[in-house]
Amino acid sequence: MNYYIHVPFCASKCGYCVFYSESSPSEERIGSYFDKLFPQLERAGEGASTIYIGGGTPTLPDCGQLERFLKKVHTCLKPAEDAEISIEANPETLTPEKVKVLRRYVTRISTGVQSFFSEARTVLGRKCSQASLEKALALVAEAAFPHWNCDLIYAIPGRSIADWEKEFDILEKYPVDHLSCYSLTREEGAALYGSLLPDEDISADLEEITQKRLAERGIFRYEVSNYAFSGCECRHNVNVWRGGLLKGYGPSATGFDGRVRMTEPADLDAWLAGKEPEIDLISPQERLNEIFAVNLRTVAGWSRELWQQVPFCDSWQKRLALAHQTQQHFPGFFEITEESIRLTPGGLAFWDFVAEELLV
Ligand code: SF4
């Protein structure tokens, strides 16, 4: 089973972010979240093949709370010996003690750097001083986690192509094996929605540089925004993109039992009061189309064998027919054989449009 746990707290809200979280929570507030979460984890049942702890900022709670939480996750979700256990970490919150705790319980750390330059982070409305960023990354490097992801954001207004190249010069210092590089997007509801406008004119150039600089290091793109050494792809995400079963815990977390998607309320008080998750009532056909579209974001796309592993899947011939039909509206965007369906690099760049067509 794949598990996702949403920790809904952040020190402060970044200007571009629309993930559900509460800023500057009290210790009691964090305590009430854990008090509600733990009994739910105790009822989880199946052992974990992957666990993803995201947020919010899972590393915000103090060291004692963090250790109690991670111990509970291990006891209740019984990760398999080779399980992938990921945690998102905001560098600003890391201390030597917390990094030691994380190293004992997780196999993969994902550091939300976004930019190595404080000027760029300031534009993003992200509070993390240069000194605490550098100190945190040194601690993570020293701890030698089995896997290390770093998040970076491009197309930040006022940042040039040369500035983006410099991000990769600095990245070379750190032994990461996975990168998530996202173009800044303007999300309704974000604090800086009205004023933080992505620099779309240079977006394509920045993406090209990303691929080139990472490929020089042996790190290749395996999904629209994700890059890894071969064998270091995020297993949790890959499983979920392919329609794998998922149990979600915490406000705004999503679960999927093979037929139905359930989303917990994106409100801590409602979640604490026991409000039921929202059930996504779409037809099995629509659900399969959604899974089909989502995994086309990966460079490898679908093979017949992979598709047949999707819970309650329909026939591969049906998928081939759908791909051929969609291709007529997007010439040059698909590579289709009897055994595989994938998007070309041009198709990946316009995945949103292709997906829209697949979802009708
Ligand atoms: S980007 Fe991360 S740290 Fe910033 S507000 Fe969103 S969840 Fe919190």
Side-chain angles (χ1 to χ4, degrees):
M1 177 58 68
N2 304 292
Y3 289 96
Y4 174 76
I5 303 171
H6 190 85
V7 181
F9 305 110
C10 290
S12 61
K13 202 75 197 164
C14 304
Y16 56 91
C17 179
V18 287
F19 291 122
Y20 174 68
S21 67
E22 280 189 2
S23 300
S24 322
S26 63
E27 214 171 291
E28 292 68 41
R29 190 79 170 149
I30 298 178
S32 344
Y33 163 76
F34 285 133
D35 289 347
K36 181 80 184 178
L37 179 74
F38 289 177
Q40 296 185 2
L41 295 181
E42 281 161 12
R43 296 192 292 274
E46 290 161 82
S49 53
T50 73
I51 301 170
Y52 194 100
I53 304 170
T57 303
T59 49
L60 183 70
D62 68 33
C63 204
Q65 281 175 316
L66 188 63
E67 176 139 38
R68 198 164 70 93
F69 168 47
L70 292 173
K71 224 182 227 169
K72 195 74 186 174
V73 167
H74 267 255
T75 319
C76 299
L77 306 186
K78 301 175 189 65
E81 213 171 305
D82 65 344
E84 177 191 87
I85 307 171
S86 299
I87 193 161
E88 290 176 355
N90 185 336
E92 186 195 26
T93 62
L94 291 178
T95 61
E97 296 72 30
K98 283 190 193 177
V99 172
K100 274 190 198 136
V101 168
L102 296 178
R103 184 63 182 86
R104 282 204 289 277
Y105 293 97
V106 310
T107 64
R108 187 172 180 275
I109 189 161
S110 177
T111 45
V113 171
Q114 317 313 349
S115 171
F116 290 108
F117 296 92
S118 61
E119 311 89 90
R121 294 194 302 278
T122 303
V123 174
L124 291 172
R126 190 170 171 91
K127 290 193 182 118
C128 181
S129 73
Q130 197 61 22
S132 51
L133 176 69
E134 286 172 16
K135 216 154 113 194
L137 295 180
L139 286 171
V140 173
E142 197 192 339
F145 286 81
H147 297 286
W148 181 2
N149 170 63
C150 180
D151 283 349
L152 292 177
I153 293 182
Y154 62 90
I156 300 172
R159 305 293 292 170
S160 67
I161 291 179
D163 290 333
W164 184 238
E165 288 269 13
K166 284 185 210 148
E167 301 280 1
F168 294 98
D169 296 341
I170 296 180
L171 184 73
E172 273 170 31
K173 290 205 292 201
Y174 301 109
V176 301
D177 61 9
H178 190 289
L179 261 295
S180 295
C181 294
Y182 300 100
S183 172
L184 177 66
T185 46
R186 206 167 157 237
E187 305 275 4
E188 217 168 316
L192 295 180
Y193 173 72
S195 54
L196 188 58
L197 306 180
D199 189 349
E200 284 165 357
D201 293 344
I202 55 168
S203 220
D205 292 334
L206 300 175
E207 203 180 297
E208 205 175 298
I209 289 168
T210 308
Q211 291 190 39
K212 184 176 148 283
R213 293 295 302 264
L214 293 178
E216 283 165 8
R217 202 170 156 173
I219 297 180
F220 292 98
R221 177 153 92 145
Y222 70 98
E223 194 261 358
V224 171
S225 311
N226 286 288
Y227 301 75
F229 284 124
S230 173
C232 299
E233 299 84 2
C234 175
R235 269 167 49 204
H236 178 88
N237 286 344
V238 169
N239 290 351
V240 172
W241 296 334
R242 293 176 180 166
L245 306 189
L246 173 71
K247 282 190 182 175
Y249 296 92
S252 81
T254 295
F256 178 56
D257 68 2
R259 289 192 190 271
V260 175
R261 180 158 295 142
M262 294 140 286
T263 307
E264 295 289 338
D267 178 289
L268 182 57
D269 287 318
W271 180 81
L272 287 172
K275 188 175 175 204
E276 290 296 311
E278 203 179 289
I279 305 292
D280 188 1
L281 287 174
I282 69 172
S283 71
Q285 198 55 51
E286 284 172 299
R287 170 75 57 237
L288 286 173
N289 284 352
E290 196 181 294
I291 293 168
F292 183 64
V294 167
N295 195 53
L296 283 178
R297 285 176 63 87
T298 61
V299 171
W302 288 105
S303 66
R304 181 194 294 267
E305 198 189 335
L306 268 186
W307 180 254
Q308 288 169 347
Q309 288 166 19
V310 172
F312 311 105
C313 66
D314 52 16
S315 80
W316 176 245
Q317 289 310 321
K318 205 166 168 179
R319 292 295 128 192
L320 282 174
L322 179 62
H324 279 295
Q325 184 191 319
T326 311
Q327 181 181 230
Q328 287 175 8
H329 302 120
F330 298 101
F333 280 11
F334 279 84
E335 265 176 37
I336 307 172
T337 70
E338 269 306 294
E339 297 301 319
S340 66
I341 303 167
R342 66 170 67 100
L343 295 182
T344 59
L348 287 173
F350 290 95
W351 175 86
D352 295 24
F353 297 98
V354 175
E356 235 172 71
E357 180 84 11
L358 288 168
L359 294 179
V360 291

